[in-house]
Amino acid sequence: MGKLDGRVVIVTGAARGQGEQEARLFVAEGASVVVADVLDDQGKKLAEELGSLYVHLDVGEEADWHAAVAAAKEAYGHVDGLVNNAGILRFNALLDTPLDEFMQVVRVNQVGCFLGVKAVAPEMADGGTIVNTASYTGVTGMAAVGAYAATKHAIVGLTRVAALELAPRHIRVNAMCPGAIDTAMANPARLDPAADPEEASRALDGLYRKLVPLGRIGRPEEVARLALFLSCDDSSYITGQPFVIDGGWLAGVSIV
Ligand code: NAD
């Protein structure tokens, strides 16, 4: 018995990184997963490997959401899970951030989550789950990522409101707040064919050894296990909460 037997879950930004690991784990736990992304070649390849459906879904486009939900229902008959995972990061000091860049981050991270909840929740059977991917920067500040941190705080707020409004239909809504995770977002060497991503990972472990109590960067598989917990009955009495997964980074400072 898998923890997600019979469930149909849409995972956005699933072509790589955390979304890919979520898709892999959810399929292993019995779910039918809709792999959704704008990276069509990578997404299709993964979906083919997993025996899943791939949909092109730009999370900032409402029409794409309606098409994705329709495709999911046509393929599997129903939808009862959503992981809003797609996200982008831009580095800039607030005062140097052009409005266009700020709005680009808002469009993907914040509007994308909102549209996902709006498009999928009405189609969900009672007992559905939504997991929104916020961030460590959704619950604390971080210099040089102002647009990103603003959207991730917004996702935590959206999660709480959605949880309240959807609870009567037994749809649970929670948020994940990852610290630094070893994907292309934190480890751009993963996108560079000339680089050795594992060597870059070891270098990042060295950096985070100083910052993070558990002494290393997190792995996307670890976030996928939190997404699974929040998407299955193991979390049946939990809704409206942000879950920090950061190796203890937010626990406080150590003076020894
Ligand atoms: P990643 O860059 O490897 O993956 C992001 C995925 O989102 C990619 O597949 C990308 O194509 C997709 N995407 C981007 N724009 C999209 C759009 N408009 N529509 C659909 N898909 C789109 O990085 P990741 O670490 O796997 O990121 C997953 C989530 O985790 C993001 O929401 C990110 O903000 C969040 N997060 C990451 C970290 C980290 O350190 N890696 C930390 C905290 C939170």
Side-chain angles (χ1 to χ4, degrees):
M1 287 282 286
K3 286 180 183 276
L4 296 175
D5 280 345
R7 302 280 309 282
V8 178
V9 184
I10 298 175
V11 182
T12 68
R16 72 179 192 211
Q18 294 173 51
E20 174 186 346
Q21 295 307 323
E22 285 153 3
R24 288 184 182 282
L25 181 59
F26 283 26
V27 166
E29 289 291 342
S32 298
V33 170
V34 179
V35 173
D37 210 303
V38 290
L39 296 175
D40 295 334
D41 291 347
Q42 261 176 280
K44 278 182 193 158
K45 197 163 163 246
L46 177 69
E48 206 169 295
E49 181 193 331
L50 298 179
S52 293
L53 174 70
Y54 174 75
V55 293
H56 175 93
L57 168 60
D58 176 344
V59 294
E61 284 296 323
E62 194 162 21
D64 281 11
W65 274 106
H66 291 310
V69 170
K73 285 179 73 177
E74 193 183 324
Y76 302 118
H78 58 105
V79 181
D80 36 36
L82 169 65
V83 181
N84 271 321
N85 164 75
I88 58 172
L89 171 67
R90 298 288 180 268
F91 289 98
N92 231 329
L94 263 186
L95 301 191
D96 296 331
T97 302
L99 178 58
D100 276 0
E101 181 178 299
F102 193 91
M103 294 310 292
Q104 191 189 15
V105 177
V106 167
R107 179 183 175 278
V108 177
N109 296 3
Q110 184 175 339
V111 175
C113 266
F114 161 67
L115 289 178
V117 172
K118 195 162 185 270
V120 179
E123 305 292 337
M124 276 183 173
D126 280 3
T129 55
I130 298 175
V131 178
N132 294 324
T133 308
S135 165
Y136 172 96
T137 64
V139 284
T140 190
M142 186 181 281
V145 297
Y148 183 82
T151 62
K152 295 301 188 177
H153 275 74
I155 289 170
V156 173
L158 182 85
T159 299
R160 291 186 171 121
V161 174
L164 293 172
E165 294 185 1
L166 296 173
R169 291 185 44 215
H170 306 287
I171 295 172
R172 298 185 295 106
V173 189
N174 290 291
M176 303 190 294
C177 299
I181 306 298
D182 190 356
T183 65
M185 191 174 277
N187 181 0
R190 296 207 166 274
L191 298 180
D192 178 357
D196 175 352
E198 299 314 321
E199 193 184 311
S201 293
R202 283 191 292 278
L204 284 168
D205 278 343
L207 170 69
Y208 286 101
R209 194 164 296 128
K210 295 183 197 126
L211 292 175
V212 173
L214 289 182
R216 60 173 175 82
I217 192 167
R219 309 288 177 226
E221 292 84 349
E222 294 175 307
V223 180
R225 289 199 290 274
L226 176 57
L228 171 64
F229 171 70
L230 295 173
S231 299
C232 77
D233 279 348
D234 288 349
S235 58
S236 55
Y237 198 52
I238 299 175
T239 195
Q241 293 303 315
F243 288 82
V244 174
I245 171 165
D246 71 343
W249 203 358
L250 262 184
V253 288
S254 172
I255 55 166
V256 289

